[in-house]
Amino acid sequence: MIKKKQYLTNKMSRYSRHIVLSEIGQIGQDKISNAKVLVIGAGGLGCPILQYLTAAGVGTIGIIDFDVVELSNLQRQVLYGTSSLGLNKAIAAKAHLQNLNDAITINTYPEKLTHLNALELFNSYDIIVDGSDNFNTRYLVNDACLITNKPLVFGAIYKFEGQISVFNYNNGPSYRCLFPNPPEKGTAPNCSEIGVLGVLPGIVGSMQANEVLKLILEIGNVLSGKLLCYNALTCETSILKIKRNALAVSAVLKTQHNFKNTQIETGCEIQVANLNIQDAIAQENIQFIDVREAHELPKVTDLDITYLPLSTLETNLHKIDLLKKKALFCKSGMRSKHAVSVLHNLNITNCFNIPQGATEIINFIKERNKMISNAK
Amino acid sequence: MRINIKYFGQIAEVTQKEEESLEFSGIFVSDLLNSLFSTYSELKNTSFKVAQNQELISNTTKVTGAEIALLPPFSGG
C-alpha cells in the first residue's frame, strides 16, 4: 500500500511539469498514460520520437525494427552507444527507454513490418508513427493505417530537409492523397547511402512526437491536411495544404481483403553485384542464402545454407545475418538477383548474387573436395 | 505575371537553386512544367508534386498564383 502511494507520488512528481499546464492537467496526463502508440523504425526519426514519448509517459509503446545498430548510425540515432553495436534496434532502444521510464509498457517487435503482420499489429495501437526509411514501408504503413483507420504521424527526411504531416485523421487526407503512388524506379532516391545532417531527424522526430501528444491530448491544431516542410540550412518552414483524394483512399480500402497477398514493389533500380562461387566460398564471414522454393532440388550440401524462398522472403528477414556478407543463389541467378534488389530496397545491404546457380555450386564443391582428397 | 518558383529536396539539386522568379501569363501548370523541363532536362526523371500558393494542385490547373512549389517525396528516416 505504501509502495503504491509512493509510486503515485512519484508519478505526480515525474509528470508535474505536464500536470501544471492547464491544457494538460491530471486528466491530460491520464490520457497520455492510457495511450498506445506504435513507432515504425527505431532509427534517426524513431530515436527522438521514442525518447520523448517515453519521457512523456505514453502508457504503451510498440517498437518495430528488424535492423541492427551499426557504427554509422550513432551520428544521429541518439538512443544507442557503442555497447549497442550489433544489437537489434527495437531491443536496444527498449533497454535504454525502460531506464528512462520504467512505469510504461514497451513492446518490441524485432522483425520487418510486412503486409502479413501490419494489420494485426496496427489494431493493437491507437496511433501509428512512421519513422521508416524507404518508400515500400511508407506506403505499407499508410495503407495499413487507412484499412485499420488509425491516425498516422508521418515524418521523412532528405539531407537537410524534412516533411511532417498527420494523415488519416478525422477523414483528413492520407499519404496517397499527396503522392498517389511510390515514385517510379530511378525518379527519387530510396537508398540508405544518402547523407543526412545528424540533428535533422532529431528536429523532425521531435515534431512528430509533438503531433502524437497533440493527438492524444486533443489540444492545438493537428497537422492534418497540411505538409510541413522544414529546411535546416535556411531555417525556413513552409506549410502546404493537401486535400483528401477520395479515389486514392477507396482504391486502398478495396485491397483490404487481399492485403496480405500484396507484393512488395521495388523502389530504386540498383546494380546487383555478382560474386563468383570460388570467391564466395573463400570468404569467412559470409552467409549463403538459397532463395529457391522449398521443393526445389538439388540441395547444396557441405555448406551452411540459410533457406529463404523468394515467395516468403519478406516474412523471413530475421534469418538474415545483418553483420555478415550475404551470397544469394537460386537455380540460374535470376531470382537471386531479384532478391538482392528487394533486400537492397529494404536497406539490407552487403548482399551479392551468385549468378551460376545451385548446380554449379554443387559441382564446384565436388571438384574442390576431390582435389582435397587427392592431395592427401 | 511574375511567378516565384520554389524547389525542394532533390529538385533543388537539379535546378541548382532553391527558388527563382519567372515571367508567365495565361498558362497552365503543365505549360510551366514543360518550360522548366526545357531548362532543366533532368527534372523529367524526377518525381514531384506541384503546389500553388501553398496548396497542392494538378497539372491541369491554371497558374494564377504568385508562388509555385515543386515538392518531391522523401523516404529517409
Side-chain angles (χ1 to χ4, degrees):
Chain A
M1 197 62 200
I2 294 164
K3 210 176 172 185
K4 194 180 176 189
K5 199 175 168 186
Q6 196 180 3
Y7 168 68
L8 284 174
T9 320
N10 285 346
K11 209 174 163 185
M12 288 288 286
S13 173
R14 178 184 279 270
Y15 305 121
S16 60
R17 298 297 177 91
H18 268 167
I19 294 166
V20 76
L21 289 169
S22 60
E23 291 82 355
I24 300 181
Q26 188 58 56
I27 292 173
Q29 191 58 47
D30 288 344
K31 284 184 188 173
I32 298 175
S33 294
N34 291 328
K36 296 177 178 171
V37 179
L38 176 67
V39 179
I40 318 291
L45 293 171
C47 284
I49 295 165
L50 288 163
Q51 198 160 26
Y52 277 108
L53 296 184
T54 301
V58 170
T60 307
I61 295 179
I63 313 170
I64 179 162
D65 200 320
F66 70 96
D67 206 0
V68 296
V69 181
E70 291 175 40
L71 191 60
S72 64
N73 299 151
L74 303 186
Q75 160 254 23
R76 66 199 178 284
Q77 300 184 14
V78 292
L79 290 180
Y80 314 119
T82 42
S83 63
S84 330
L85 294 175
L87 299 178
N88 170 269
K89 286 186 184 175
I91 290 165
K94 180 180 175 172
H96 183 100
L97 295 167
Q98 208 77 82
N99 180 45
L100 174 58
N101 192 344
D102 62 355
I104 65 162
T105 303
I106 300 174
N107 302 321
T108 54
Y109 309 94
E111 59 198 85
K112 177 81 192 158
L113 184 77
T114 69
H115 285 88
L116 292 174
N117 60 15
L119 299 185
E120 205 176 324
L121 191 58
F122 284 22
N123 273 325
S124 309
Y125 292 88
D126 309 321
I127 298 169
I128 313 300
V129 192
D130 187 0
S132 68
D133 62 359
N134 62 84
F135 286 118
N136 287 338
T137 308
R138 291 190 177 281
Y139 280 86
L140 164 61
V141 170
N142 177 74
D143 295 354
C145 279
L146 276 173
I147 290 168
T148 56
N149 197 21
K150 304 285 176 181
L152 164 60
V153 179
F154 171 91
I157 51 173
Y158 177 77
K159 293 186 180 176
F160 299 96
E161 291 177 60
Q163 297 176 343
I164 305 111
S165 188
V166 175
F167 293 121
N168 200 34
Y169 175 67
N170 280 353
N171 274 322
S174 76
Y175 187 53
R176 283 194 192 264
C177 303
L178 172 60
F179 297 112
N181 295 301
E184 281 178 37
K185 283 179 183 175
T187 63
N190 188 31
C191 309
S192 59
E193 292 81 18
I194 301 166
V196 59
L197 182 71
V199 70
L200 177 71
I203 296 166
V204 173
S206 299
M207 285 186 179
Q208 287 179 272
N210 183 41
E211 292 305 312
V212 172
L213 291 175
K214 279 159 60 186
L215 284 173
I216 295 170
L217 293 164
E218 297 166 288
I219 58 172
N221 297 318
V222 170
L223 199 57
S224 168
K226 297 167 190 167
L227 182 81
L228 189 152
C229 304
Y230 171 76
N231 185 323
L233 291 180
T234 58
C235 262
E236 268 187 64
T237 55
S238 316
I239 293 184
L240 305 178
K241 286 181 208 143
I242 316 160
K243 286 203 188 91
R244 186 175 164 98
N245 177 342
L247 273 176
V249 172
S250 68
V252 171
L253 294 177
K254 276 182 198 155
T255 66
Q256 62 182 302
H257 300 298
N258 200 31
F259 195 70
K260 291 190 173 182
N261 295 326
T262 309
Q263 286 290 314
I264 48 174
E265 308 130 348
T266 52
C268 65
E269 190 82 70
I270 64 150
Q271 210 61 34
V272 172
N274 288 337
L275 195 60
N276 72 44
I277 299 169
Q278 192 171 0
D279 291 345
I281 289 177
Q283 307 249 350
E284 277 183 8
N285 202 26
I286 192 161
Q287 180 182 27
F288 287 92
I289 299 173
D290 187 346
V291 301
R292 294 177 300 167
E293 299 307 308
H295 62 270
E296 288 184 69
L297 295 172
K299 297 286 179 208
V300 176
T301 50
D302 279 352
L303 271 183
D304 194 8
I305 305 288
T306 305
Y307 295 98
L308 274 178
L310 187 60
S311 60
T312 53
L313 180 67
E314 222 194 334
T315 54
N316 285 304
L317 296 172
H318 59 277
K319 293 182 183 167
I320 297 175
D321 190 334
L322 298 170
L323 297 176
K324 283 185 180 168
K325 187 179 263 195
K326 274 77 64 183
L328 284 75
F329 65 90
C330 58
K331 186 175 178 234
S332 64
M334 289 307 288
R335 280 174 290 166
S336 49
K337 184 181 172 190
H338 179 67
V340 170
S341 171
V342 167
L343 292 178
H344 186 90
N345 280 302
L346 295 169
N347 282 339
I348 300 176
T349 52
N350 213 2
C351 298
F352 298 84
N353 180 32
I354 300 184
Q356 296 96 328
T359 309
E360 286 299 314
I361 296 175
I362 293 167
N363 289 340
F364 179 87
I365 295 173
K366 262 188 205 159
E367 284 300 315
R368 186 195 62 168
N369 289 349
K370 218 187 269 175
M371 276 166 64
I372 292 171
S373 61
N374 286 346
K376 276 179 187 170
Chain B
M1 186 174 56
R2 203 93 197 139
I3 299 166
N4 193 41
I5 309 172
K6 292 182 84 167
Y7 305 115
F8 290 92
Q10 53 270 35
I11 307 287
E13 288 170 12
V14 171
T15 59
Q16 298 283 306
K17 55 187 80 143
E18 266 154 24
E19 57 187 302
E20 66 183 315
S21 187
L22 297 172
E23 189 73 34
F24 290 103
S25 60
I27 58 160
F28 291 88
V29 171
S30 52
D31 302 322
L32 172 67
L33 292 182
N34 282 332
S35 164
L36 292 176
F37 288 156
S38 61
T39 315
Y40 312 107
S41 59
E42 261 299 291
L43 267 192
K44 281 182 228 163
N45 309 320
T46 315
S47 263
F48 61 86
K49 286 281 155 190
V50 180
Q52 171 159 253
N53 293 341
Q54 291 83 44
E55 195 158 338
L56 268 293
I57 50 167
S58 77
N59 290 3
T60 53
T61 310
K62 197 162 186 189
V63 177
T64 55
E67 188 180 280
I68 293 284
L70 268 54
L71 182 82
F74 295 168
S75 69

